[in-house]
Amino acid sequence: MLFHQSVRATSALFGFLFLLITAAQAHTAKLPNVTILATGGTIAGTGATSTTTVGYTAATVGVHALIQAVPEMTKVANITGEQVFQIASENMGNEHWLLLAKRVNLLLAQPNVDGIVITHGTDTLEETAYFLNLVVKSRKPVVLVGSMRPSTALSADGPINLYNAVNLAGSQAAIGKGVLVAMNDQIHAARDVSKANTTTADTFRAQELGMIGYIQGGKPFFYREVTRKHTVDTEFDITKLDALPQVDVAYAYANVGAVAVNALVAAGAKGLVHAGVGNGSLPAKTKPALVAAREKGVVVVRSSRVGQGIVARNGEANDDQLDFVVSDTLSPQKARILLMLALTRTSSTKDIQRIFYTY
C-alpha cells in the first residue's frame, strides 16, 4: 500500500516537473532571438571611481559581462552575444563598417535570428547606424545602442539603454523601420539622429525632424514613419567589397583657404564633401580648389556645417554649371558615407544627385 502510494507520489512529482519544464520551454520558444554584437565604446568602459564620468577608459568590458550585468534581458529575449571588435568609436574605420555589416547580414539571413543589437561608442554611432541603414539587407530590426557614462559610474545609463534596445530589436513593431538608435528611452531613425551634446545622457537627438518613438516599460511606441529608402530597398551591395572609395570632408570657416581641399585631393580623395557655411556657401579662396578638384574627376558634394536644413541645389552656387552635388539634409559626416557608397555604383554626378535625394 505504502509502496503504491510512494510510486503514485513520485509519478505525480515527475509529472509536475515535466509540466514546469514544458511550460518553461514553451515560454522560451515564444521569446524573440536577439543577437548582441559588441564593438566597444563607453557602454563597455570603466572608470577609476563611481563618480568618474569623464576621463574613463572605453572598450574594456566584454560582451558576456555586458549581458550578465542586465539579467532582465533574458526575460524578454533569448540572448546570444558576439565580440566583433573592441574599440573606442573615434577609431571606427571603413574596414570595421564592412566587417560589421557583413556579419549583420549573415546573421539576419538565419531563421533563428529575429533581431540584432549593436553596442557602440557614441562618438561615431550615428555614422555606423547610417552606413548600416544603407547596406543591411533585411527587414529585421537592427538597433544601435551606447551610453554616455561608463559601466562603473553612478547612474550608468548603459544597462537600461541595453535592456530597451533588446526589447526594440525583438519587437514586431520595429520590423521594416530601418536601422534604429535606442538611447535615453527614445527611438531614432539612423538617417536623422546625431550626437548633440558632449557629455549629457540626452545627447542623441534628431533636432530637425524629430525622434520616431519612445520606449516605455520596455515596450516601443512609434509615432512617425521613415520616408527615405533604406536597408532592403537600397541599391548598395557590400558583399564583395573589401574597401570603400576615399571620401573626405573639408570644413569651411571665416578666412578659410584652399589648403585642406588641395591636400585631400593630393592624398587621393575620390570624393570631397565641403562642409560649407550657411546654405553650403563656397568661400572665394576655396572655390577655385573645388572647381579644380572636380576637373580632375573628384566628385564634390556641397553640404553645410549648420546641421539643419536643406542645402539648396543651385542656391549658393551654380551646381549645374560646376557639376557639383548637394547633400540635401544630410550632415557632412553622413554625406561622406552616402558618397562613398554611391561611388561604388557610379561616377555620374547626375546619378549621385538622385542617390542623395533618395536616401
Side-chain angles (χ1 to χ4, degrees), residues 215-250:
I215 303 174
Q216 188 176 80
K219 182 179 179 181
F221 294 86
F222 287 95
Y223 291 92
R224 72 177 183 89
E225 293 292 328
V226 175
T227 59
R228 291 300 177 98
K229 289 185 177 180
H230 55 75
T231 55
V232 294
D233 294 322
T234 77
E235 60 205 81
F236 308 116
D237 182 7
I238 50 94
T239 306
K240 297 180 180 179
L241 291 180
D242 296 318
L244 294 167
Q246 180 184 334
V247 174
D248 296 297
V249 178

Side-chain angles (χ1 to χ4, degrees), residues 31 122-124 131 139 154 159 211 240 245 247 257 325 332 354 358:
L31 295 177
T122 58
D123 285 355
T124 57
F131 179 78
R139 287 172 49 81
L154 289 172
M211 61 181 149
K240 297 180 180 179
V247 174
V325 175
R354 172 194 62 78
T358 303

Side-chain angles (χ1 to χ4, degrees), residues 49-240:
T49 71
S50 62
T51 57
T52 301
T53 56
V54 294
Y56 52 84
T57 303
T60 60
V61 179
V63 64
H64 298 298
L66 287 176
I67 294 171
Q68 290 170 5
V70 193
E72 295 82 1
M73 293 190 302
T74 61
K75 298 178 182 178
V76 298
N78 301 317
I79 305 291
T80 56
E82 295 182 18
Q83 192 75 46
V84 186
F85 34 82
Q86 182 76 298
I87 61 173
S89 73
E90 64 266 27
N91 298 318
M92 192 68 63
N94 295 351
E95 67 278 11
H96 296 107
W97 283 343
L98 290 170
L99 174 65
L100 181 61
K102 289 175 182 179
R103 185 59 184 153
V104 168
N105 279 330
L106 184 64
L107 286 169
L108 292 179
Q110 299 176 11
N112 61 341
V113 175
D114 298 309
I116 288 178
V117 169
I118 300 170
T119 62
H120 198 288
T122 58
D123 285 355
T124 57
L125 187 149
E126 67 197 76
E127 294 175 65
T128 299
Y130 186 53
F131 179 78
L132 293 174
N133 196 56
L134 296 169
V135 301
V136 165
K137 295 304 176 187
S138 175
R139 287 172 49 81
K140 295 177 183 179
V142 176
V143 181
L144 274 79
V145 64
S147 71
M148 291 302 293
R149 298 170 186 151
S151 62
T152 51
L154 289 172
S155 300
D157 52 331
I160 187 61
N161 286 345
L162 184 55
Y163 175 75
N164 282 339
V166 167
N167 274 288
L168 183 59
S171 168
Q172 291 288 313
I175 294 174
K177 293 288 196 297
V179 174
L180 303 172
V181 173
M183 293 280 289
N184 201 40
D185 298 333
Q186 299 174 350
I187 306 169
H188 291 278
R191 185 187 186 277
D192 304 329
V193 71
S194 63
K195 186 174 183 178
N197 188 284
T198 56
T199 56
T200 62
D202 64 344
T203 181
F204 279 90
R205 305 167 195 166
Q207 298 188 97
E208 184 174 16
L209 300 174
M211 61 181 149
I212 62 174
Y214 288 105
I215 303 174
Q216 188 176 80
K219 182 179 179 181
F221 294 86
F222 287 95
Y223 291 92
R224 72 177 183 89
E225 293 292 328
V226 175
T227 59
R228 291 300 177 98
K229 289 185 177 180
H230 55 75
T231 55
V232 294
D233 294 322
T234 77
E235 60 205 81
F236 308 116
D237 182 7
I238 50 94
T239 306
K240 297 180 180 179

